[in-house]
Amino acid sequence: MATRTYSAKKEGFFTRMNQYLDEYEKIVVVSCDNVTSRQFNKMRIGMRPTGDLPFVGKILMGKNTMMKKVMKDRLEADPTNAVKEMQYEKFNEILKLNVGLIFTNDDLSHVVKMVDENVVQAQAKVGAVAPCDVHIPAGPTGLEPGQTSFFQALNIHTKITKGSIDILNEVHLIKQNEKVGPSEATLLQKMGLKPFYYGLMLVEIYDKGTFFSPKVLRMTTEEKEAKVKAAIANVTGLSLALGWTTQASFPHVAMNAFKNIFSVSLGTDYDFDAFGAAQLKQDIKEGKVSAAPAAAAAASSDAPKAAAAAAPVEESEDEDMGMDLFD
């Protein structure tokens, strides 16, 4: 079977993409709709080792079929490589429409900042898909009364004040993801408004063998901490429910064990000195402390703070001794 030949330009693209894939471990997939060549040049210059951006990287633009071919060829050359197989399968799904790749080995937050800052303001052109909602506030427009036909065509209520057209109420002129009509585009142009900002849009992130949403890079420290705590709580609950002792559930297991033993001690003549239980029992009998906070304080002195939220010990001798975290 004859081998297909490609032009020197395409062969150069294949070589360059393979080089980037070997050299860089992080890839940012971006949507490039309405992004100008001037914006690309500014980012390329900034990402050079001598550039003004805090990271070094490369931008690769090309036909999706060519990028998919590179991924396929790399997999065929090394079919047992799980990473290359995953890359091919995932990029085969992602590489659609007008997208490009940003390669780097540095902090991805710098890439996000570059993408967010590199935008240009633009007029609303007829037939363009609106990237955001467009609202016109109530008040003077600066247009002369002879221009009222544009407002009437859009069903916008106006009045004439001192020889100028005033809009009576705020108008939701264009909705996000809708095409701009000729009347809307003309009105915005006459009012001198440029409602749209165009730049790269983050699509997907690849980092050392893992794909994830760009939303992860925009999370604050507080949001990350909250998710980690929620995950630990889920692991703890699952471990306790299944009876598995893990690092997450051990503080609760230790707390519950102490409470159960101490409950038995309070209801019998059995004493034990661990964690100061004997002295604690004596203090409770003499009325110096109450049973619930005393038991919690004794256990938490040696167990992690997470155990302090466990259920309190009751003094009654008729209580159920099978207490656990969910009592």
Side-chain angles (χ1 to χ4, degrees), residues 255 258-259 262 280 290-304 307-313:
M255 170 67 83
F258 175 82
K259 290 191 300 179
F262 191 70
L280 179 61
S290 60
S300 62
S301 65
D302 194 69
V313 176

Side-chain angles (χ1 to χ4, degrees), residues 26-277:
K26 302 176 183 179
I27 306 173
V28 180
V29 184
V30 292
S31 174
C32 311
D33 291 335
N34 301 303
V35 180
T36 63
S37 58
R38 184 177 180 180
Q39 289 175 272
F40 278 116
N41 290 335
K42 181 179 178 181
M43 288 184 286
R44 284 192 173 102
I45 294 173
M47 286 190 292
R48 292 173 181 172
T50 57
D52 57 355
L53 292 174
F55 71 98
V56 176
K58 299 288 186 180
I59 296 179
L60 183 68
M61 299 296 300
K63 291 184 178 180
N64 294 337
T65 53
M66 294 172 63
M67 290 190 279
K68 290 178 181 179
K69 181 185 184 308
V70 172
M71 294 294 181
K72 183 179 180 180
D73 290 345
R74 289 172 65 86
L75 176 60
E76 290 177 348
D78 189 6
T80 60
N81 191 311
V83 174
K84 291 182 179 179
E85 181 180 2
M86 181 266 295
Q87 287 178 342
Y88 170 71
E89 292 177 352
K90 190 65 177 180
F91 277 112
N92 203 42
E93 299 174 1
I94 297 173
L95 295 175
K96 297 178 180 179
L97 303 177
N98 189 18
V99 296
L101 306 177
I102 299 177
F103 296 83
T104 186
N105 285 328
D106 298 320
D107 191 341
L108 289 171
S109 63
H110 297 317
V111 180
V112 175
K113 185 177 180 182
M114 178 194 71
V115 169
D116 290 342
E117 293 178 349
N118 200 325
V119 295
V120 295
Q121 192 172 7
Q123 293 181 342
K125 297 181 180 180
V126 177
V129 178
C132 61
D133 291 325
V134 178
H135 296 267
I136 299 180
T141 63
L143 299 178
E144 59 183 18
Q147 307 290 333
T148 54
S149 59
F150 292 101
F151 296 94
Q152 292 172 354
L154 296 169
N155 197 26
I156 299 175
H157 300 292
T158 60
K159 67 177 181 179
I160 307 299
T161 303
K162 297 181 180 180
S164 176
I165 300 176
D166 284 7
I167 297 177
L168 297 179
N169 302 301
E170 182 182 77
V171 179
H172 190 177
L173 186 64
I174 305 173
K175 295 182 179 179
Q176 185 176 8
N177 297 325
E178 287 187 354
K179 288 188 177 181
V180 179
S183 298
E184 292 89 344
T186 303
L187 176 60
L188 290 170
Q189 185 176 3
K190 286 182 175 295
M191 295 179 65
L193 299 177
K194 295 181 178 181
F196 299 151
Y197 289 85
Y198 291 123
L200 298 177
M201 301 291 292
L202 301 178
V203 176
E204 193 80 12
I205 307 295
Y206 172 81
D207 187 358
K208 300 177 182 177
T210 303
F211 285 90
F212 54 88
S213 169
K215 294 180 180 178
V216 176
L217 296 178
R218 300 186 185 278
M219 292 174 59
T220 63
T221 302
E222 292 74 16
E223 291 174 333
K224 293 178 181 177
E225 289 179 353
K227 289 188 176 295
V228 170
K229 289 179 180 178
I232 293 175
N234 290 337
V235 172
T236 302
L238 180 63
S239 299
L240 291 171
L242 297 176
W244 296 348
T245 302
T246 62
Q247 188 174 0
S249 66
F250 180 76
H252 300 275
V253 173
M255 170 67 83
N256 291 335
F258 175 82
K259 290 191 300 179
N260 291 337
I261 296 173
F262 191 70
S263 297
V264 173
S265 176
L266 286 176
T268 64
D269 293 332
Y270 172 73
D271 294 327
F272 64 101
D273 294 328
F275 310 113

